[in-house]
Every structure is written in C-alpha cells, then in structure tokens.
Amino acid sequence: MTKPTMDPQAFLPLKPLEFSILLALAEDDLHGYGIAKRIADRDVGGVDLAPGNLYAVLDRLIGLGLIESMQRKPGERRREYRITRFGRVVAGAEADRLRVLVGTARRLEILPHGGEV
Amino acid sequence: MSGRVFGESLLRLVMRLHPRRFRMEYADEMLEYYRTVLRREGNARGPWWRFAFLIRSVRAAAGQGLSQRLEARREGMGGIAVGSSGSSFLDTLGLDFRYAVRSILRRRRFASGVVLVLALGMGANTAVFGVLNAVLLRPLPYPDPDRLVRVYQVREDAPDEFNYVSAPAFADLRDNARTFASVAAMYTYAETGADLTGAGDPIRVRTLGVTAGYFPVLGIGVANGRTFGPEQAVAGSHVVVVSAGLAESQGLSVGGSVVLDGTAAEVLGVLPAGFEDPIVGRIDLLVPLAVGNGEWEDWQWGNHYLTILGRLEPDVTIESSKVDVERRFAAMNDVSPVEDREDGRVVPLHEDVVGSSDVLLVLLMGAVGFLLLIACVNVAGLFLARGAAREQELAVRSALGSPRWRVIRQLLIESLLLSFTGAFVGLVVGRALSGSLVRLAPSELVRDGRVPFDLTVFGFGLLMATAAGIVFGLVPALSLTRRRIEQSLRQSGRSGAQGERERRSRDVLVVAQLVLSFVLLVGAGLLIRSFERLRSADLGFRTENVITFEVNLPSSRYDADARIRFHEQLHDRLAAIPGVRTVAAVSHLPVTGRALSWGVREFLGEGVDGQNVQADQRTVQGDYFTAARIPVIAGRTFDETDDASAPPRVVISRALAERLFPDGDAVGRSLRVIGDPHEIIGVVGDAAVDARGDMIPVVYHSHRQFADNRNWSMRQIVALDAPVPGLIDGARAALASIDPALVLYRPERLENVVLRDTARDRFATLVLSAFATVAMLLAAVGVYGVLACSVSRRRHEFGVRMALGARAADVRRMVVGRGVRLTVAATGLGIVFAAGLSSLPSAFVFGVGVRDPITYIAACILIGTVAVLASLMPAVAATRVDPVSAFRSD
C-alpha cells in the first residue's frame, strides 16, 4: 500500500459511513461485524448495515490508504481492519471540520438544548 | 430449501454484479458478515426483520456492484471495446451492448432492411401462432375442462365411422356407466332453430334441445332462475332457458313466457352472459329434450341423432372411462334388436372440438415456420454481405487483442438487437394480421372470433426472436471470424479474388432460401390445384340459379295435414312468380353434411330382413329431382298419388341401390325403414353430401306422405332460368299472403351453400399462397443481393474483361449464369425436399396426387423465372462498368 503524501483536506468531507468506520477503527482493530456493531452501539442500537455497503466503503478506504486489512488468521474467514496513521489524520481533520460547523450552529443558536448534551 | 440457504444463494448470485477483483477480495467475508448479523441480531428481531435485511443486502450488492463497475470503466478505458484479457464476461457485456447499438445506428438503412424482413417473417408467425393458441391451446371455458368427454357410437364393422348416439344407448350410459359424474344428450340437428314471437315481427332463434344432465356436465349454472330438472325432460313440458343476449334484446325475465313456434313456454332461467355450447357455439335458447325411457321401439336402436357429452368422475382417466363405455355397449348388444354389433368411443371434448382445426393450423404453422426460416436465411445473407465490408473493423479488433469469442459475441448482440426489434414490429403487425386471419377463416376455426394476446403468444415471440437472432447471427459471425487476420489487413479491404469460402457460404444461403420457397410454392400449388378440382367436383345436382330458403311451421298451429296444405300452397304461389321455373323443397340440402342417418334393410317378409345399411333420410316436396337436376335412373319419382292414404313409398339414391341390390333391379322391392316396409318406386342419381363430391346412401320420402313423422323444417328450392331481381321480396310476399307470422329464413344461393363447405379449403389455399408469394419475393431479394454484391466486388474484373473486348452479352451471361446455376441446384434439392414433406398437406389435397407433376413443374418454372429476373438487374449493372473508372479505383 503506497503511503499517500497528500493533504488530508483533499479527502474532506468524508461520507458519514466512512467517518463512522474510521472512528470505530480508531479504538480497536476490528473485523466487519465488529465495525458494524461498534457503529451501531455508538449510534442507535441494532446492526442493520448491509454487507455490500459496508465492504464497498471498506474497499474504498483501503484504496485511499486510510485503513488497511490485516493478514487473515489461519482457519478464519474474517480479517481485521486497522486504521492507518494517515487515516487518523484524515479522521481528525474531518472531526475538526465538523467541530467548526457545530460551532457555527451553536453561535446561530440552532442547536437543541443549547448544544449541551 | 430453507429461508437462510435461499437468502445466501440469492445474495451470492447478486454479488456477481461486483467486479471480479472485489468479489475475490471480499465475497467470502461479506457472506460471513451476513451470516453473523443474522445470527447475532436476526433471532431477536424476528422473521420480518431478517427478510428486510436480506432485501437490503441484495439491493446494496446490486447497487454497489453496478456503480463499482461503472467507476472501473470510467477509469479503465475510453472508447472502443477492445477486449483486455483480464476483463470478465460480465464486465464487457454492457460495453459490447452499447457498441452494438452504435454500430446499428450507424447503418440505419441496412438495419431497417433487416428489421423489415424479420418483421415480415415474425409477423406471419405471430399471427398464425396467435390463432393456434386461441383455438388449440386455450382450454374449454368450463370448470375442470379436462374431465369433459364426448361419446360416439360406431359399428364394429366400421370402427372409424364415428356416429351420433341412439336414444337407448344414451339412456343406458346415463343410468349405468360408472365413470361419469353426469351424462347429457343434445339434439344434433340444432341449426333448424325456431320462430320466437314477441312484440314485433317473429324472429328466428337458435335453439338446442338438451337433457337435464347438460348443466352439471358443463358445470354451468344459470345467472338467475333455475335449470331443467329431469322432470322437465319429458315430452310436452313448455319451459326454456334463454341466453343473456336474448333475454336482454327481447326483454325476457325469469318467470315470464315466450312464444316459440306458436307455443307459449315459461322462462325458467337465464344463462350466464357469453355462454356458448362447446359444439354448436352461440345459442339463444335451451329447450328440454325428451329422450324417452325404457320402452324402446326396435328402430330406435338404429336411429343415431344424439350428441353425447359426459363429465368424468374426479380422478377417472379417459382409459378407464373407455373400458366402462365399451362394457356398456357389450351389454347393450345383448338386448339390442340390431344385429350389427355396436361399440362406443370416448374422445376428450377439447380434442373433439378442435379436431377439425388442428390439421389446418399445423399446416399453416409449418408454412410460417418456413417463412421465418427464409427470412432468417435472408438476413444471414445480408449480414454476411455486410460483414465482408466490416471485416477490416473486425480484423482491427482482433489485432488489438480481442479474443474471437468477443467478436462473435459482439456480432450476436447486434443480431439479437435487430431480431428483437423485428420481433417487436412483427408482434404489432402480427396482431393486425391475426384479426384479418380470423375474419377470413371459416367460422369453425375460430368460433368466437377472439384471438387474445396473452403471455403464451408473447413468450412465443420472445423465443422466436432469440432463436432467429442466434440462427442468422451465429452463422455469419463464425464465418467472418474464421478469416485470418493478417490476410484481411494485408488486403486492406481490396476486393480481390478473396473469400472463396465466404462466397460459397453466401451461395449456400441463397440456395437454402430458394429450396424453402420452392417447398412452399409446391405446397401452395397443390392446394390451388386441389381447390380447382374441388370447385369443379361433380356434385350430382345443379347449383347455378337456384335460390333456397327455409320456412319453419309452428307445430301448435300446423298439424301434419296443415303442413302438407301449406307447402302445396307455397309451392303454387312461388311457382307463379315470373322467371321461376321449378319449385320444390327438401328437408336437408345436399353438401351440408349428413342428417338423420337411419339403419335401413331390404324387407323380404315378416321376420326376414336383408343386410343393414345406414342411409340418410330426406323428405321432399314438389318435383325436387327436376328442380335440383338430379337424374332419375329407374322407376319414377313422387306424384300426387303418394300421399298419406297410399302405402309407404320411397325413392332411393344410386349409392343405396348399389349397396342393397348390387345385381338386381331395386324398383318394386321393399325397404324396411323405422320398422315399416316401404315400396321402392324409383332410383335417382347421387347428390354429394359435401363439397368434395362424397356420395352416401339416401332414402327420399314424399312430404305429402311423411309429414306426420315430424315437423320437417323444409328448405325451399327455387330454380330459375336466369337471376330474378326481387325474387326474395316476391317470396316474402307470397309467404305473408299465406301466413304473415312466418319467417323467411336464411335466403341464399345454392352456390353459396356449396362455397361455405369449401371455406376451409379456400382459406388454406389463400393463406398458403400468400405465404408462398412472400417467400418467393424474399428469395428473389436474396438472389439479387448475392449477385449484386458479387458484381460490385468484381467491378475490376468486369472492367478488364470489357476493356479486353468482352461483349455486354457475355458479361450478362456470366452473371445470370451464376443465378441460374444456383436456381437449378436449389430446384433439384427442393424437389427432393418437397416430395419428402408431401404427406403434410395430404389432408387438404383433393383430386390431385401429393406429388402432382404439374404442380412441381409449375413451381420450377416460377422459381426459375423469378431467379432469372432477380439476376438480370445485377447483370445489367455489370455491363455498365466503365473500364477506366474501374482501373482508376484500383
């Protein structure tokens, strides 16, 4: 996997699912179901992410060099995925972009509960 | 298959839409993921969620798969579809498809030619198949139609002559046959109808006498009211069930009454709208048919006049019902006074109803199949000719690494696209043609005139288009791609002496078309010849300048004496009309089939009878034999003295005389008819029972003497010297002057009656001739195409020849010569082929052999002439080659 030496800003904005996956992997290395579960736990509850959607995004993120897949363990059908260093940078940049946007929303006083959760 | 396995299989299938690389990488994992989600989440959330998750997964796989493909394409290549060895079958399919569309649109004229030819072939096929589907494949419109059968009676010495059934036999089957849930009898001579007197003028209605079993057999009820029970099926019960149409037009309702032939009858029920009898079709009224019970006169065993329908018990096979019926007839033979042993035949009703249509339709289907084959071969020729012009393009693709299968697939996609377009146009054309076919067709073919467009027809069209596309696409594709690439490139499109093999394959295609057209021509020729024979068949009576019509006398007002008086009065008044030469009447016209077939035998004294012969009974009034110009061979015909007071007398036909008295004089002998001896006073010539000129034994009775046997529905015969304008009006006036309540029914020329019986043959002849003409035109286009193409390729050669002093006639001869050689080869093959297939139209061929030499010679001449004409145009074009320009373009 070639290490991109690009400006992380060029990858923004990330799609919500891409961002969620990066955040899920930022905590642990996970396999497909683990990713979906982690996203669901942080979000609304149950896993209902279709395999086609999940793996298409995983494939794209690998292509962009934001995550990488690990060697399959013997006797395992599943692989774990790991976020790359550059992936963390991009995820951080996306979080920063969102922070600015949320700040704007707060200033405009359109956040429910005044932005306090 | 469990839901889980099914879901996984479906998902696995849809996942093929992902590009190959992605699949290799993730397919297993995705399935594992899918399983894990179902296992961990699915159980808690229930089956509906699991199903929804499957649907979401399938949709995601399809959506992601396709978008990944599109993306790969956008990144991968631009423009022309050059097969890279790494790309999969599916990856490139869409690309080839787009390329094919572009390629077709680039050659619009060629494409429209191909579509036109195919639409012609497929339109004809769709039309005929539509009719075939409507007539042969559509089940009868009654519940459980598979359980409906018809029963015939046969004599054991003539097991193939299916006869109507006698009343005693019907009663026995009804009461004793174990395999039938119910059995019904219908009065066979339904077309006589009855006069219905309502508010205005009396109208003629179609009635059908049926026994109580009719309703349970067909599984129909009445829309309102009730049906006949067994108590109504006795003589003298005045009840009717009316059709919905009649109820509406005449304002009839249940409990009301109608006046039928002068007798009032109660309306018991109204049939469901659109009801048709399986045998006679549309009817207006059902009346109870009294068949009798138990006490049978001897003659009734030999009187076959009932149509028997049965509904089998559930789970009873036709075979076991056949055994059952045979057992019943064996039992009947023990008690029947008829010493000829009789047997029964059980036929599935559907087979019985379509029986007479299927040969015709199969013949037509065969003919249109040929037509489509010709169209395909024709298009294959066009493809081949155009392929030659495209070979550079194909060679470039090959050189750039496109594997042969990709090129073939590309060409196949093009041909399939064209084929489907042709099929679509053909479906539209075929729908219209179906309508015309039905209008032209004899009414027995498509009774209700409806040709539905259903899934079967659509599926047929789809199948046909696919098959055609492969047939005419694959042959040229294989032939074109076989050429060596470098050879094409080196020649760089030069039209040299290349392609001997290709030229040969085009010759083969032309010969194939000519052979197929030849076979169709022979078929059409045979039908035309036999139709001519049919029209000139000797029917044994005159048809020209004879008008016939029917008058039905209500039994309530006319007893036998009144009927005799009426007919004599009518006879005198009709004879008084200027221009009328002879007036007579007969109970059943010639050429309209058999009627009242009774067993008759020579009467040699009480208890001593001769051999039994089935003979049709006819009752005549006036000088019928003179009016119909049926010759008197021996003895005399009826006169005024042959009335009810005289001993029974009959005139017999020559066929009967020859059967009963092969070596003696019939006149003066005695004939036993319905039990009584009848004196034979004369022998007359045979009158044909159908338009083919078939003769059968007939016994003629004098109406004056035989009027009390039944209320004969007499057809009047008015012979004229020349056509008399206003004759029918005159006849109506004459009728009204006797009884204004009577109907003059079905007036027509006797010639038309004959014509109606030939309708089926005329239809087959007409349609097959049309197909043969189209086939010949297509073949001519094929010949023209091949020669024109060859001439344009050999421009250079012709230019050289002309420059070297060849005369125009020589060049012409060269070109036409090739056309002639192809035609001769095709004709030779065609003769062999046609002779091999000649058993197919034998059911339609009348009076000519199926290998009739005149037909074959005519077909040879016709196809030869057309082929030579088709090759003349390219020949003339060849002589117009200007040597200078031919060289310059070198």
Side-chain angles (χ1 to χ4, degrees):
Chain A
M1 193 74 30
T2 52
K3 284 271 162 66
T5 55
M6 294 172 75
D7 178 7
Q9 294 297 326
F11 292 79
L12 305 188
L14 291 176
K15 291 191 178 129
L17 184 56
E18 293 169 341
F19 188 44
S20 296
I21 290 174
L22 288 180
L23 288 186
L25 291 178
E27 196 173 333
D28 278 320
D29 298 344
L30 294 167
H31 48 66
Y33 177 74
I35 296 172
K37 182 89 177 117
R38 174 75 46 85
I39 294 173
D41 288 347
R42 285 178 181 172
D43 197 2
V44 279
V47 173
D48 55 3
L49 187 54
N53 290 334
L54 174 64
Y55 281 89
V57 176
L58 287 179
D59 185 53
R60 192 157 62 242
L61 292 175
I62 290 173
L64 295 173
L66 304 187
I67 63 171
E68 56 196 11
S69 64
M70 324 239 298
Q71 276 307 335
R72 200 165 290 181
K73 289 179 190 137
E76 267 283 350
R77 256 188 277 223
R78 310 181 294 188
R79 281 175 299 192
E80 293 196 329
Y81 296 85
R82 165 192 293 163
I83 190 165
T84 61
R85 185 172 306 195
F86 184 63
R88 280 180 190 278
V89 175
V90 171
E94 173 72 1
D96 202 40
R97 183 182 72 85
L98 292 173
R99 190 180 53 78
V100 173
L101 289 178
V102 173
T104 309
R106 181 174 291 137
R107 200 175 62 249
L108 295 173
E109 297 183 342
I110 58 170
L111 282 189
H113 323 299
E116 303 302 324
V117 185
Chain B
M1 190 192 287
S2 78
R4 192 177 58 83
V5 176
F6 170 77
E8 274 181 34
S9 314
L10 180 67
L11 191 57
R12 203 191 299 270
L13 188 75
V14 178
M15 273 163 47
R16 294 192 67 84
L17 286 169
H18 286 289
R20 187 181 157 80
R21 179 198 64 77
F22 186 88
R23 279 204 315 275
M24 299 287 281
E25 187 77 21
Y26 299 109
D28 284 348
E29 249 180 286
M30 283 165 74
L31 281 172
E32 182 61 30
Y33 170 86
Y34 174 76
R35 277 185 218 116
T36 313
V37 171
L38 282 189
R39 197 171 54 240
R40 298 270 186 87
E41 317 272 331
N43 289 341
R45 301 205 204 176
W48 278 113
W49 184 86
R50 290 200 294 272
F51 179 70
F53 184 64
L54 169 66
I55 297 300
R56 258 203 317 282
S57 301
V58 166
R59 205 176 53 198
Q64 293 289 352
L66 286 175
S67 68
Q68 282 167 348
R69 262 169 206 281
L70 277 177
E71 205 162 315
R73 183 144 310 144
R74 245 177 264 127
E75 290 163 3
M77 31 196 141
I80 203 164
V82 178
S84 71
S85 46
S87 55
S88 80
F89 188 83
L90 271 177
D91 284 326
T92 51
L93 189 61
L95 210 59
D96 280 359
F97 186 81
R98 281 212 309 255
Y99 185 69
V101 172
R102 275 210 300 266
S103 157
I104 287 172
L105 289 180
R106 238 193 340 263
R107 303 171 177 89
R108 282 197 196 88
R109 259 181 49 201
F110 170 80
S112 33
V114 168
V115 167
L116 193 75
V117 170
L118 287 175
L120 205 65
M122 298 202 196
N125 270 273
T126 311
V128 172
F129 183 79
V131 178
L132 187 114
N133 176 49
V135 176
L136 292 190
L137 308 179
R138 200 160 41 154
L140 294 168
Y142 310 102
D144 296 329
D146 294 345
R147 287 166 55 200
L148 294 175
V149 294
R150 179 166 178 184
V151 182
Y152 287 95
Q153 201 166 343
V154 294
R155 287 210 322 276
E156 281 190 351
D157 58 341
D160 294 328
E161 283 179 26
F162 283 30
N163 213 332
Y164 297 120
V165 177
S166 67
F170 161 67
D172 184 280
L173 290 176
R174 180 193 59 199
D175 299 338
N176 301 320
R178 286 196 298 264
T179 50
F180 294 102
S182 37
V183 182
M186 295 131 70
Y187 187 61
T188 295
Y189 307 105
E191 72 274 21
T192 49
D195 294 346
L196 181 84
T197 324
D201 288 334
I203 58 165
R204 190 75 180 160
V205 289
R206 285 171 68 92
T207 65
L208 183 63
V210 299
T211 60
Y214 186 77
F215 301 96
V217 163
L218 292 184
I220 52 152
V222 283
N224 49 64
R226 57 201 171 88
T227 61
F228 312 136
E231 70 281 2
Q232 268 101 15
V234 293
S237 63
H238 300 296
V239 290
V240 295
V241 169
V242 301
S243 73
L246 189 72
E248 193 182 335
S249 68
Q250 299 295 306
L252 305 175
S253 58
V254 174
S257 73
V258 291
V259 178
L260 209 57
D261 283 345
T263 308
E266 185 195 346
V267 177
L268 216 54
V270 179
L271 287 167
F275 170 77
E276 291 192 349
D277 178 79
I279 313 282
V280 299
R282 190 189 63 79
I283 42 140
D284 298 314
L285 279 164
L286 294 176
V287 296
L289 174 65
V291 171
N293 234 335
E295 299 300 310
W296 304 112
E297 304 269 346
D298 283 359
W299 62 268
Q300 286 182 293
W301 289 92
N303 181 12
H304 302 114
Y305 73 105
L306 294 173
T307 298
I308 304 298
L309 299 184
R311 174 172 288 271
L312 299 181
E313 293 278 8
D315 307 324
V316 163
T317 61
I318 292 277
E319 274 61 39
S320 48
S321 127
K322 279 178 182 165
V323 173
D324 187 23
V325 166
E326 278 163 21
R327 196 181 296 132
R328 285 319 312 159
F329 272 96
M332 282 184 249
N333 282 330
D334 295 340
V335 294
S336 152
V338 182
E339 62 267 34
D340 300 313
R341 296 184 63 79
E342 303 216 63
D343 198 359
R345 290 279 183 274
V346 180
V347 184
L349 186 57
H350 187 259
E351 191 182 309
D352 185 73
V353 170
V354 301
S356 58
S357 318
D358 59 354
V359 190
L360 172 60
L361 284 172
V362 168
L363 180 85
L364 290 187
M365 208 59 226
V368 286
F370 267 56
L371 195 61
L372 182 60
L373 213 53
I374 293 173
C376 284
V377 173
N378 197 300
V379 170
L382 288 176
F383 260 66
L384 211 55
R386 196 197 61 160
R390 280 181 79 178
E391 67 200 6
Q392 267 216 293
E393 170 201 336
L394 299 179
V396 168
R397 290 189 56 183
S398 295
L400 291 178
S402 205
R404 186 176 174 208
W405 68 264
R406 282 280 315 264
V407 179
I408 291 177
R409 187 177 75 176
Q410 163 77 55
L411 291 172
L412 264 185
I413 291 175
E414 273 190 51
S415 65
L416 281 172
L417 272 177
L418 287 170
S419 176
F420 275 88
T421 316
F424 179 74
V425 179
L427 277 180
V428 176
V429 175
R431 288 299 299 150
L433 279 179
S434 274
S436 324
L437 270 183
V438 168
R439 272 193 295 281
L440 277 175
S443 55
E444 68 187 36
L445 186 65
V446 187
R447 184 178 296 137
D448 57 4
R450 281 193 302 259
V451 179
F453 182 74
D454 57 15
L455 268 180
T456 320
V457 178
F458 186 74
F460 173 80
L462 219 60
L463 205 69
M464 185 171 65
T466 312
I470 289 173
V471 167
F472 73 72
L474 200 58
V475 174
L478 289 176
S479 153
L480 288 171
T481 51
R482 201 187 290 125
R483 301 178 49 72
R484 302 226 323 273
I485 303 161
E486 45 314 3
Q487 183 194 339
S488 290
L489 285 177
R490 206 176 301 131
Q491 283 175 355
S492 72
R494 211 30 262 148
S495 52
Q498 51 98 329
E500 182 54 33
R501 186 198 286 146
E502 190 188 299
R503 199 182 99 168
R504 233 188 357 253
S505 35
R506 240 175 302 147
D507 283 357
V508 167
L509 291 180
V510 167
V511 169
Q513 286 179 66
L514 287 171
V515 169
L516 292 169
S517 324
F518 182 84
V519 174
L520 273 184
L521 270 181
V522 167
L526 284 176
L527 290 195
I528 291 172
R529 293 255 301 149
S530 74
F531 189 61
E532 258 170 32
R533 289 288 171 89
L534 197 59
R535 281 179 20 156
S536 57
D538 183 13
L539 301 175
F541 63 96
R542 76 177 239 175
T543 56
E544 68 283 359
N545 284 329
V546 176
I547 306 290
T548 90
F549 57 87
E550 190 179 317
V551 178
N552 185 52
L553 301 174
S555 302
S556 59
R557 291 196 286 120
Y558 285 87
D559 61 9
D561 285 340
R563 293 198 293 269
I564 294 171
R565 273 199 308 279
F566 168 84
H567 277 296
E568 299 197 336
Q569 252 180 316
L570 181 63
H571 178 276
D572 292 343
R573 300 213 181 168
L574 291 174
I577 299 175
V580 171
R581 191 164 55 182
T582 321
V583 179
V586 62
S587 58
H588 190 85
L589 287 177
V591 299
T592 54
R594 306 193 63 147
L596 294 182
S597 171
W598 295 352
V600 300
R601 59 192 65 233
E602 189 185 0
F603 176 77
L604 300 165
E606 271 319 316
V608 195
D609 283 340
Q611 164 210 9
N612 182 71
V613 173
Q614 287 289 321
D616 271 27
Q617 310 296 311
R618 304 273 186 275
T619 299
V620 298
Q621 153 75 35
D623 198 351
Y624 170 67
F625 303 103
T626 306
R629 242 183 244 156
I630 297 173
V632 179
I633 294 169
R636 66 173 179 94
T637 60
F638 301 114
D639 59 27
E640 299 81 50
T641 63
D642 303 311
D643 57 16
S645 64
R649 291 172 187 147
V650 292
V651 170
I652 63 172
S653 72
R654 181 212 294 262
L656 182 58
E658 282 170 0
R659 283 283 293 279
L660 285 178
F661 315 105
D663 43 84
D665 188 9
V667 176
R669 306 229 205 173
S670 203
L671 203 61
R672 191 191 274 282
V673 185
I674 41 172
D676 299 325
H678 288 59
E679 184 198 348
I680 300 169
I681 57 167
V683 178
V684 294
D686 288 319
V689 71
D690 56 34
R692 296 191 160 210
D694 291 330
M695 307 299 182
I696 53 157
V698 178
V699 176
Y700 294 97
H701 304 265
S702 164
H703 185 258
R704 215 175 266 126
Q705 186 168 61
F706 212 47
D708 63 346
N709 176 269
R710 68 189 59 210
N711 184 352
W712 296 97
S713 178
M714 303 292 280
R715 297 281 309 193
Q716 302 295 321
I717 304 275
V718 183
L720 312 167
D721 291 321
V724 175
L727 177 84
I728 293 302
D729 291 337
R732 265 204 191 97
L735 185 62
S737 71
I738 304 172
D739 185 342
L742 296 178
V743 184
L744 188 151
Y745 183 53
R746 279 204 298 196
E748 61 187 329
R749 303 201 326 239
L750 194 51
E751 282 162 312
N752 284 357
V753 177
V754 178
L755 219 56
R756 204 180 316 127
D757 197 49
T758 61
R760 175 190 168 82
D761 302 83
R762 198 176 53 219
F763 176 71
T765 309
L766 201 70
V767 173
L768 203 59
S769 305
F771 289 162
T773 310
V774 173
M776 206 171 57
L777 287 180
L778 283 179
V781 170
V783 172
Y784 168 79
V786 160
L787 294 180
C789 183
S790 131
V791 164
S792 87
R793 275 164 182 256
R794 291 164 71 190
R795 261 169 64 84
H796 184 66
E797 179 198 332
F798 288 131
V800 172
R801 282 176 189 270
M802 301 278 278
L804 292 178
R807 285 170 308 155
D810 299 330
V811 172
R812 274 202 295 271
R813 201 171 305 124
M814 278 181 63
V815 178
V816 175
R818 179 151 166 238
V820 169
R821 275 198 301 281
L822 291 177
T823 312
V824 168
T827 316
L829 282 170
I831 290 174
V832 176
F833 207 27
L837 286 172
S838 59
S839 64
L840 285 179
S842 60
F844 292 86
V845 173
F846 166 80
V848 288
V850 286
R851 295 182 186 169
D852 176 47
I854 295 180
T855 305
Y856 277 74
I857 291 169
C860 288
I861 292 173
L862 198 58
I863 204 122
T865 312
V866 168
V868 167
L869 284 179
S871 44
L872 271 182
M873 251 192 297
V876 170
T879 62
R880 299 249 170 83
V881 174
D882 173 19
V884 180
S885 71
F887 282 122
R888 196 171 290 146
S889 73
D890 197 358

